[in-house]
Amino acid sequence: MSSVRSRPISEGILPSAARLLAQFYGLPAKPGPVEDWKTLVRVVLEVGRSPRKPRDWSWISETPLRNPDETCLHSVAGLAEVLEAVDQPAAKAHLLHALAEWWQRRIGDVSNATGAFTTRSVDSWQDDLRAIPGVNWELADRILLFVGGCTVYPLDRGSMRIAARHGWMEISSEYDDWQSFFTTVAKETAFDLGQLSRWNSGVARDFCKAQPHCDDCPLKSLLPARGVVSLDECE
């Protein structure tokens, strides 16, 4: 059996899921404008932190993290102190410093970032980012989606659980097949992958946990007639 069921599934299912999630959660806030270094900082710092607690991100503009040049001029230890002072994980200092060096090397001055991510293929940008210690595949794609404006989906475990339990994909599918499932509709329509990613994070947090709570889930109506698919069946 093919790991990607068929092209029409993502084209029909994902818009249906998005409508249900928009009704349940409302429109999620974006981490910032594309092609903006401060958006990258926020994306990195948001990973692994609960979105339930509202956060004020204005502090970024008042610290050396406001642009990659100043970030690079500071030591990792100095950046760690900056992060600690605003209740952010100091452990992310090394990664932000490395990303600032990458930004200088690949994009240059922040004022010249417009259109920079269109000059190379997504595969090339992915290889670049994944080569940075601390940047896994999901974070690389999260940066490319929210900062680069690229048509790519940050594939996290929660999104995979949701799709597999609804019978849309097999949990053991290859990375390229997962990307095709999530991005096919976005390549041909105005479908917003950033919104879907944030909604799926909410569903994974609130309902689609290790033990699913389907009865109250906004996506319950999209389950197959026989009910939720066990992840053991997908592997």
Side-chain angles (χ1 to χ4, degrees):
M1 180 183 297
S2 173
S3 55
V4 177
R5 309 293 197 219
S6 65
R7 184 182 178 92
I9 282 188
S10 61
E11 291 177 342
I13 285 294
L14 295 184
S16 296
R19 285 191 291 271
L20 291 170
L21 295 175
Q23 293 170 6
F24 188 85
Y25 286 111
L27 294 179
K30 295 182 178 181
V34 296
E35 300 175 334
D36 190 311
W37 164 257
K38 292 190 289 294
T39 303
L40 185 149
V41 173
R42 178 171 169 177
V43 166
V44 170
L45 295 178
E46 281 184 335
V47 172
R49 311 199 83 186
S50 173
R52 290 180 182 273
K53 181 181 178 182
R55 299 184 184 278
D56 177 13
W57 296 96
S58 61
W59 61 267
I60 298 176
S61 297
E62 302 169 0
T63 69
L65 289 168
R66 60 178 158 258
N67 65 61
D69 294 338
E70 290 191 49
T71 300
C72 283
L73 288 175
H74 274 66
S75 66
V76 171
L79 293 176
E81 291 179 0
V82 169
L83 292 172
E84 284 183 332
V86 291
D87 192 30
Q88 294 292 331
K92 297 287 182 74
H94 192 281
L95 176 55
L96 288 169
H97 195 276
L99 284 167
E101 293 178 332
W102 165 82
W103 187 287
Q104 285 185 322
R105 183 171 65 253
R106 290 301 189 190
I107 299 175
D109 191 281
V110 290
S111 62
N112 295 324
T114 302
F117 287 91
T118 65
T119 61
R120 301 168 61 197
S121 69
V122 171
D123 288 345
S124 177
W125 286 115
Q126 286 172 324
D127 290 343
D128 241 19
L129 285 164
R130 292 169 185 168
I132 300 172
V135 178
N136 59 21
W137 286 33
E138 178 194 345
L139 179 56
D141 289 342
R142 198 168 292 279
I143 291 171
L144 291 176
L145 173 62
F146 289 109
V147 184
C150 301
T151 304
V152 65
Y153 188 86
L155 188 60
D156 60 313
R157 190 67 180 175
S159 296
M160 294 170 68
R161 284 201 305 265
I162 293 165
R165 282 173 170 159
H166 283 81
W168 305 333
M169 288 285 290
E170 295 169 3
I171 199 72
S172 58
S173 297
E174 297 294 329
Y175 170 84
D176 288 344
D177 291 338
W178 280 105
Q179 282 297 325
S180 178
F181 172 75
F182 281 112
T183 64
T184 291
V185 65
K187 290 175 180 177
E188 299 179 358
T189 70
F191 190 77
D192 194 319
L193 290 173
Q195 289 181 345
L196 180 65
S197 174
R198 295 200 150 211
W199 281 325
N200 278 343
S201 294
V203 172
R205 178 193 68 229
D206 299 332
F207 304 102
C208 205
K209 306 177 183 182
Q211 293 297 321
H213 304 288
C214 300
D215 287 345
D216 300 317
C217 178
L219 297 180
K220 180 181 178 181
S221 64
L222 298 182
L223 285 171
R226 67 187 179 98
V228 63
V229 178
S230 167
L231 295 187
D232 292 336
E233 298 178 46
C234 305
E235 296 176 331

